[in-house]
Amino acid sequence: MRPSFDRLPDSVNEEVRISHEAMNAAYKRALVLLEDPIDPRKFTDYRDVDKDIELVAKAEKRYADEFAQKSPEEQRTVKLSKIIEAIIFEHGEKSNWFGESATTIQASRYDDIVHHVDTIIEFEEGPASASHLAVAIDVTIADHIGKKFDYIKKSIDEGKLTEIKYFVSEFLGFHGRKTNVPHVVIGIDKKTAYSVADAWIKGDMKKLATHPIQITILEEMRVELEAFKNYAELKGKTELVPIFEKALETVRGIMDSKSMTPDDTRRLDLENEMFFVVKSSAEHIADRK
């Protein structure tokens, strides 16, 4: 049976819809949910753990200093982005946004900072096998999206995909370095972000389960993986093509299971400016310098 996806209202008053007090409480809740669960010191076969810990500490201080210099509205956008990251991490699995076989794994702060990965999606394929998709989440202005695509393009040019240095999979019993992970960027416009954040704050599980944000996420994944596969073929990186094809097959299977129609995705082109930016950036990746 086709899910009954909700429709977003025609307009959302951001400041009225979510008060500053509610936003701050949700931001604190998101930080707790996303608190780094991976201790690099447990990777005893790595020789550069202390160096990585120092890198993270310096980056965190720099981010804190930069955050303090931002305007209240800019700080609000940063908080919203972190809230959306937490919601996708939590409800990608709890509400089956990525299908019933998917588990969301939070990336370490090191991999977030160095490899631009917020979440890893693990798709169980059998008793002892799984595939993975690295996800970066952006609820900001369009130029940030472009920079993240530049990182993915550079990796393809070098004949490799994203590395997760500190990777832990309970399902596979794996603890170590994960290489050649296909990587996508999820861009969410503020109208959608405030809508889903409001449902999360209110604990509206039904709305979260049927929220159209999952249409945006899955269609962005599909568009990007298709574009990256084509770019790898263009650059002669044939060893990467099957990796993208496998990820594409997985995402298309999820979309089919949700009975998503061309009308669902066509509406994104008409109504979602951030989706257009993501789609255009992916499809024109070969033109980026």
Side-chain angles (χ1 to χ4, degrees):
M1 179 181 295
R2 170 178 163 76
S4 178
F5 293 114
D6 287 340
R7 290 293 308 278
L8 288 177
D10 292 333
S11 63
V12 176
N13 186 321
E14 298 169 3
E15 295 298 328
V16 172
R17 182 116 187 195
I18 301 179
S19 69
H20 290 296
E21 292 77 11
M23 176 67 74
N24 288 336
Y27 178 60
K28 291 178 181 178
R29 177 182 166 193
L31 292 180
V32 171
L33 183 62
L34 297 173
E35 188 174 4
D36 196 346
I38 297 175
D39 183 358
R41 292 184 178 86
K42 292 184 178 180
F43 291 71
T44 55
D45 55 333
Y46 290 4
R47 297 183 177 182
D48 53 356
V49 170
D50 288 341
K51 180 181 177 182
D52 290 348
I53 292 174
E54 183 180 359
L55 180 151
V56 169
K58 289 181 178 179
E60 295 282 21
K61 184 180 185 307
R62 184 173 69 253
Y63 294 153
D65 292 342
E66 291 172 354
F67 181 82
Q69 296 301 315
K70 293 181 183 295
S71 69
E73 186 57 35
E74 289 172 330
Q75 289 185 359
R76 186 175 173 86
T77 299
V78 171
K79 292 176 181 178
L80 179 63
S81 183
K82 186 60 66 174
I83 291 166
I84 296 302
E85 180 185 336
I87 295 171
I88 292 176
F89 170 69
E90 182 176 53
H91 284 273
E93 184 173 335
K94 180 180 287 188
S95 295
N96 287 332
W97 287 357
F98 304 122
E100 295 183 358
S101 69
T103 300
T104 51
I105 303 169
Q106 185 191 344
S108 70
R109 282 299 290 145
Y110 175 87
D111 286 304
D112 184 0
I113 293 165
V114 175
H115 297 133
H116 313 291
V117 176
D118 296 313
T119 300
I120 304 109
I121 308 172
E122 182 173 78
F123 299 99
E124 297 180 17
E125 299 178 330
S129 64
S131 61
H132 299 88
L133 191 62
V135 178
I137 300 161
D138 217 27
V139 189
T140 58
I141 55 178
D143 63 340
H144 289 199
I145 295 285
K147 291 175 183 177
K148 292 181 179 180
F149 278 123
D150 288 341
Y151 172 80
I152 296 172
K153 177 184 177 182
K154 183 174 183 290
S155 295
I156 296 173
D157 288 340
E158 295 173 352
K160 61 183 181 180
L161 299 181
T162 294
E163 172 186 297
I164 312 296
K165 184 172 183 178
Y166 295 98
F167 180 70
V168 177
S169 168
E170 294 182 5
F171 172 69
L172 296 176
F174 181 84
H175 183 100
R177 193 184 304 265
K178 181 74 176 174
T179 59
N180 273 343
V181 181
H183 193 163
V184 295
V185 180
I186 302 302
I188 305 296
D189 66 289
K190 285 187 177 181
K191 177 179 172 181
T192 302
Y194 274 101
S195 173
V196 75
D198 181 65
W200 192 60
I201 289 168
K202 293 176 178 176
D204 190 339
M205 299 298 292
K206 181 179 179 181
K207 186 171 183 178
L208 288 166
T210 60
H211 200 284
I213 190 175
Q214 57 195 292
I215 298 177
T216 303
I217 292 170
L218 291 168
E219 179 63 1
E220 286 183 352
M221 286 180 172
R222 187 198 65 77
V223 166
E224 291 177 38
L225 290 168
E226 185 77 48
F228 299 155
K229 176 182 78 71
N230 293 340
Y231 182 70
E233 290 175 335
L234 176 69
K235 301 298 289 187
K237 306 300 181 181
T238 55
E239 69 279 10
L240 302 181
V241 173
I243 301 174
F244 286 123
E245 288 178 337
K246 184 176 182 180
L248 257 174
E249 181 181 359
T250 299
V251 171
R252 286 171 177 155
I254 300 167
M255 296 173 77
D256 287 345
S257 73
K258 293 177 179 291
S259 300
M260 287 173 55
T261 70
D263 284 341
D264 290 324
T265 54
R266 192 178 299 117
R267 192 176 297 124
L268 292 174
D269 280 323
L270 299 174
E271 300 177 0
N272 191 319
E273 183 177 353
M274 180 62 88
F275 172 78
F276 178 80
V277 170
V278 170
K279 180 180 178 182
S280 179
S281 296
E283 292 178 342
H284 292 87
I285 190 171
D287 301 331
R288 296 188 64 84
K289 302 299 183 182

